[in-house]
Amino acid sequence: MAKRPQKLEMLKFVEDGQAYPEKREARLRAEDFQEIADKYAPEKAAEQAARCSQCGVPYCSVHCPLHNHIPDWLRLTAEGRLREAYEMSNLTSTMPEICGRICPQDRLCEGNCVIEFSGHGAVTIGSVEKYITDTAWEEGWVEPLQPGRPKGQSVGIIGAGPAGLTAAEYLRVAGYDVHVYDRHDRAGGLLTYGIPGFKLEKHVIMRRVQRLKDGGIQFHENFEVGRDATLEKLRDRHDAILIATGVYQARAIQMPGVGAPGVEEALDFLIASNRKSFGDDVPDFDNGRFNAKGKNVVVIGGGDTAMDCVRTSIRQGAKSVKCLYRRDRANMPGSQNEVRNAEEEGVEFVWLSAPKAVEGTDHVTAVRANRMRLGAPDASGRRSPEVEPDSDFTVEADLVIKALGFDAEDLPRLFDSPDLSVTRWGTLRVDHKSMMTNLEGVFAAGDIVRGASLVVWGIRDGRDVTEHMHRFLKEKKMAERVAA
Ligand SMILES: Cc1cc2nc3c(=O)[nH]c(=O)nc-3n(C[C@H](O)[C@H](O)[C@H](O)COP(=O)(O)OP(=O)(O)OC[C@H]3O[C@@H](n4cnc5c(N)ncnc54)[C@H](O)[C@@H]3O)c2cc1C
Ligand code: SF4
């Protein structure tokens, strides 16, 4: 029988976070972890797994981007055959315990469970997936990465997020020398520095990265392509390249006062908080710039990044947290579960409101906003927000966080590669049959192709691109042999 993780270990992890030493915050975080601990309970996992009706058409698998064999591993879990359940789930995913934690299951597998359709509540697929793989780690069932017979070819991967790491793993298993370049000091991409630790604990990502390092994948951290090497230089060094750099250009908001001190970018705020939970020295957290403690916080935006900012602010001990969003609850892009969680934690949502100015000269003191109403649907079918005349109101603020989403950076310029073809949104243009860009042997995957998306889609793309790269590399080797 699998060991249940010790609650004390969980709480120690909370305390090791160090970012939130006060009792109130520590208690709040401990409660989060209590929730995680409850989901670990073996009886609960088996009980949930046994609810699966093993229906003929597995809509859950169809709607999982990885097409995980969900009913099969649920059945094995219900029968107590946990190791087999883990092995089955590991067949289709490089990070099942991560997806189990942070996939928006209500829109994917669980949202398409037939039991949910019949009104009895979906099987909690994500929690079971997390449980079986966490158990596999504890029990030592997660095998070290075994590199395949050396192929004598090397691959350079730019970006160590879920897409890059997934491709790195499969390519190493296929026998290639794999080098991963990332501009951060730690691998993981947004898993490490975007998504907060209360949703995805940092050690869960780091043990995955360590397994890849132990398997001989070479990580070049603090290596920024564009600054430390051009794309061309990397092409000379490797037989094929994968660009999996994600999207990091924060969408701007134009309004008077937006440059005032105290108005910050969402990702800077989240990175500081994530670094703190690694125990890093973060001067801009310590000097209060990225610390919400005791402040009136206003977050602008309605997506998942905004939800992470409001929930992080609460955990840091903010005095008040308000989220301004220009549409209503039904029309917001973020997950409804996240909104519910945030409300329960004390976040106030100011629906149908759009900021028009930031007040304060030396430092932000307030945000002036307009009330909005929803007008006629636009080309996409969504109702466009319109300003209500004479509807100004003011919200007190000491910290304003802009969380309006992300676009692609200008990669052709950054990589000194003006020929690299991009779409009108700045994402990389690929041939969808081969996942190759217009540059021979340069492939792309993840958010940099899709635009801001989900971790599970990054993993899917990383899996798919491996096959294409493998085919390309085989053909390249054959052509070189013929030419020799
Ligand atoms: C705050 C936030 C919360 C999110 N929460 C969720 C969630 O709960 N669930 C979910 O499914 N999705 C979530 N997402 C989306 C998800 O994180 C992304 O879709 C996913 O990480 C994309 O994977 P990727 O591998 O394409 O890119 P990324 O994870 O962005 O990784 C790209 C990597 O490339 C590196 N890089 C970029 N440029 C260079 C360069 N020039 N040289 C070297 N390295 C470079 C970056 O440092 C980064 O490590 C969230 C996103 C954000 C911003
Ligand atoms: S990967 Fe995501 S969508 Fe697929 S089964 Fe797991 S939690 Fe559900």
Side-chain angles (χ1 to χ4, degrees):
M1 179 61 76
K3 268 190 286 160
R4 181 178 174 155
Q6 293 297 309
K7 196 168 149 199
L8 271 180
E9 281 169 24
M10 294 283 184
L11 294 176
K12 181 159 179 335
F13 175 76
V14 171
E15 266 143 30
D16 282 347
Q18 294 299 322
Y20 320 105
E22 268 70 23
K23 280 206 172 113
R24 196 179 72 79
E25 289 80 11
R27 201 165 51 239
L28 180 62
R29 300 198 78 217
E31 280 157 11
D32 293 337
F33 281 85
Q34 175 59 42
E35 186 192 326
I36 289 174
D38 284 347
K39 285 179 191 160
Y40 272 91
E43 317 77 52
K44 191 159 173 182
E47 181 192 301
Q48 276 298 317
R51 292 181 63 232
C52 174
S53 64
Q54 299 289 317
C55 53
V57 188
Y59 291 109
C60 54
S61 298
V62 173
H63 290 270
C64 163
L66 299 171
H67 301 316
N68 281 341
H69 306 304
I70 301 166
D72 295 333
W73 47 253
L74 286 177
R75 182 175 47 76
L76 291 166
T77 305
E79 291 170 0
R81 295 158 65 188
L82 283 188
R83 186 168 189 162
E84 291 162 86
Y86 154 69
E87 281 163 2
M88 173 78 70
S89 98
N90 188 50
L91 285 178
T92 44
S93 178
T94 50
M95 310 178 184
E97 73 284 22
I98 293 179
C99 291
R101 282 170 166 81
I102 46 110
C103 269
Q105 285 101 5
D106 51 341
R107 286 190 259 148
L108 302 169
C109 54
E110 294 179 16
N112 290 281
C113 169
V114 288
I115 304 181
E116 173 79 9
F117 295 157
S118 67
H120 291 90
V123 175
T124 55
I125 297 167
S127 299
V128 176
E129 186 179 27
K130 168 164 78 69
Y131 167 71
I132 54 184
T133 311
D134 280 344
T135 305
W137 278 102
E138 276 169 43
E139 297 292 329
W141 303 334
V142 178
E143 302 276 352
L145 191 158
Q146 293 293 342
R149 213 147 47 104
K151 292 257 188 306
Q153 285 173 300
S154 89
V155 174
I157 297 179
I158 311 171
L165 293 182
T166 297
E169 173 164 348
Y170 289 133
L171 287 164
R172 184 73 187 135
V173 168
Y176 296 102
D177 283 342
V178 180
H179 292 252
V180 179
Y181 301 89
D182 201 288
R183 64 185 170 195
H184 275 305
D185 56 345
R186 291 185 181 92
L190 289 169
L191 299 174
T192 298
Y193 284 131
I195 302 174
F198 61 85
K199 279 166 63 181
L200 173 59
E201 310 93 303
K202 300 299 152 193
H203 71 91
V204 172
I205 311 150
M206 290 304 123
R207 71 185 173 194
R208 278 277 163 207
V209 171
Q210 193 55 48
R211 180 174 167 273
L212 301 182
K213 288 184 174 174
D214 294 343
I217 294 172
Q218 299 196 40
F219 282 81
H220 305 261
E221 283 143 355
N222 289 314
F223 189 112
E224 179 164 345
V225 178
R227 184 193 64 193
D228 298 311
T230 59
L231 177 60
E232 233 12 71
K233 201 151 190 183
L234 288 190
R235 288 179 80 193
D236 289 344
R237 212 179 275 177
H238 300 288
D239 293 287
I241 296 285
L242 172 64
I243 304 178
T245 48
V247 289
Y248 285 92
Q249 185 64 56
R251 283 189 197 133
I253 181 167
Q254 305 294 340
M255 59 180 166
V258 75
V263 181
E264 305 292 356
E265 294 292 349
L267 204 53
D268 293 340
F269 174 72
L270 292 172
I271 289 175
S273 175
N274 277 315
R275 281 197 176 285
K276 208 62 201 167
S277 61
F278 275 110
D280 292 356
D281 199 17
V282 187
D284 275 340
F285 183 89
D286 299 337
N287 68 21
R289 180 174 170 196
F290 293 128
N291 187 350
K293 186 173 162 48
K295 293 182 180 166
N296 293 307
V297 179
V298 171
V299 176
I300 301 169
D304 287 334
T305 303
M307 296 309 105
D308 287 345
C309 290
V310 293
R311 298 187 69 201
T312 299
S313 301
I314 289 277
R315 280 159 180 75
Q316 290 180 353
K319 192 165 154 198
S320 72
V321 183
K322 291 192 172 62
C323 180
L324 303 190
Y325 180 55
R326 63 200 180 124
R327 291 188 165 92
D328 60 4
R329 185 183 194 124
N331 285 288
M332 71 175 295
S335 143
Q336 293 294 328
N337 284 346
E338 286 284 296
V339 178
R340 238 185 335 269
N341 289 335
E343 279 178 333
E344 279 168 15
E345 291 167 5
V347 174
E348 188 187 325
F349 286 86
V350 190
W351 304 113
L352 292 165
S353 61
K356 61 183 285 194
V358 170
E359 293 180 355
T361 40
D362 297 338
H363 197 274
V364 55
T365 54
V367 174
R368 204 140 34 87
N370 282 314
R371 300 250 173 242
M372 308 294 284
R373 62 182 176 212
L374 293 179
D378 61 17
S380 71
R382 273 178 102 194
R383 293 175 66 193
S384 321
E386 295 167 359
V387 175
E388 287 263 19
D390 304 322
S391 64
D392 276 33
F393 65 100
T394 301
V395 186
E396 215 183 326
D398 314 301
L399 173 61
V400 175
I401 302 175
K402 297 177 287 174
L404 296 134
F406 301 93
D407 291 317
E409 292 168 286
D410 184 355
L411 287 196
R413 187 182 57 78
L414 287 176
F415 284 6
D416 195 15
S417 192
D419 295 342
L420 183 64
S421 180
V422 295
T423 66
R424 66 191 164 107
W425 299 279
T427 49
L428 289 184
R429 193 186 293 282
V430 293
D431 171 346
H432 287 284
K433 287 203 202 97
S434 65
M435 297 180 80
M436 190 149 63
T437 65
N438 64 318
L439 303 180
E440 174 83 356
V442 178
F443 296 78
D447 280 8
I448 191 57
V449 177
R450 292 180 178 274
S453 178
L454 292 174
V455 169
V456 66
W457 279 113
I459 296 173
R460 167 67 189 269
D461 288 351
R463 199 175 80 184
D464 290 351
V465 81
T466 305
E467 269 183 46
H468 296 298
M469 293 178 80
H470 186 44
R471 191 170 310 131
F472 169 84
L473 286 159
K474 254 188 353 200
E475 284 168 9
K476 182 173 176 178
K477 196 176 210 172
M478 272 185 359
E480 281 167 1
R481 276 202 192 126
V482 170

